[in-house]
Amino acid sequence: QVQLQESGGGLVQAGASLKLSCVASGPTSSSHATGWFRQAPGKERDFVAAIRRSSGSTVYADSVKGRFTISRDNAKNTVYLEMNSLTPEDTALYYCAVGTPILSAIRRSDMYHYWGQGTQVTVSA
């Protein structure tokens, strides 16, 4: 069973940057993809970005494209989410998740089998 631990969240001002980390422990597979999702209070959990373990190919939500960058270090079993130009609308609990989604379904949260506990990101105006 894969276990995930997020870190790197915090309280920042608008325009600042943060870098989140997601460390995986347990069996990994070349077919895995890691996704970042976020959930603001009273809202649904939304897809943010995803990266495939084997190819490194990435997918982003339109709302973060050009501001966020997802990357991986397979040797460290770690996936990063670098977030720049943060706005108050980015305030949420950020989760990383691992699954084996096909490309057309990579944005779907139900395609991910393992989830971390989340790390809070709060952006003040």
Side-chain angles (χ1 to χ4, degrees):
Q1 182 155 346
V2 177
Q3 294 183 323
L4 303 171
Q5 180 64 58
E6 305 97 334
S7 63
L11 171 62
V12 297
Q13 290 188 329
S17 299
L18 279 174
K19 188 172 184 178
L20 307 183
S21 298
C22 172
V23 180
S25 59
T28 58
S29 168
S30 59
S31 63
H32 278 165
T34 299
W36 284 98
F37 293 79
R38 65 186 182 185
Q39 188 167 20
K43 295 188 177 181
E44 294 184 351
R45 188 173 297 184
D46 290 334
F47 171 79
V48 175
I51 187 166
R52 289 197 173 277
R53 179 180 176 85
S54 56
S55 67
S57 59
T58 59
V59 177
Y60 294 93
D62 289 343
S63 59
V64 306
K65 202 172 293 183
R67 299 189 299 125
F68 290 12
T69 302
I70 190 170
S71 60
R72 79 201 193 298
D73 184 336
N74 287 346
K76 295 182 179 179
N77 283 335
T78 302
V79 170
Y80 305 97
L81 183 69
E82 186 165 3
M83 307 184 295
N84 299 314
S85 302
L86 286 163
T87 74
E89 288 69 36
D90 295 314
T91 294
L93 189 59
Y94 283 70
Y95 299 90
C96 67
V98 166
T100 54
I102 57 175
L103 184 59
S104 61
I106 203 167
R107 291 176 173 85
R108 289 173 47 181
S109 61
D110 60 340
M111 293 289 106
Y112 293 81
H113 315 303
Y114 306 103
W115 291 81
Q117 296 297 309
T119 185
Q120 179 67 38
V121 172
T122 303
V123 184
S124 62

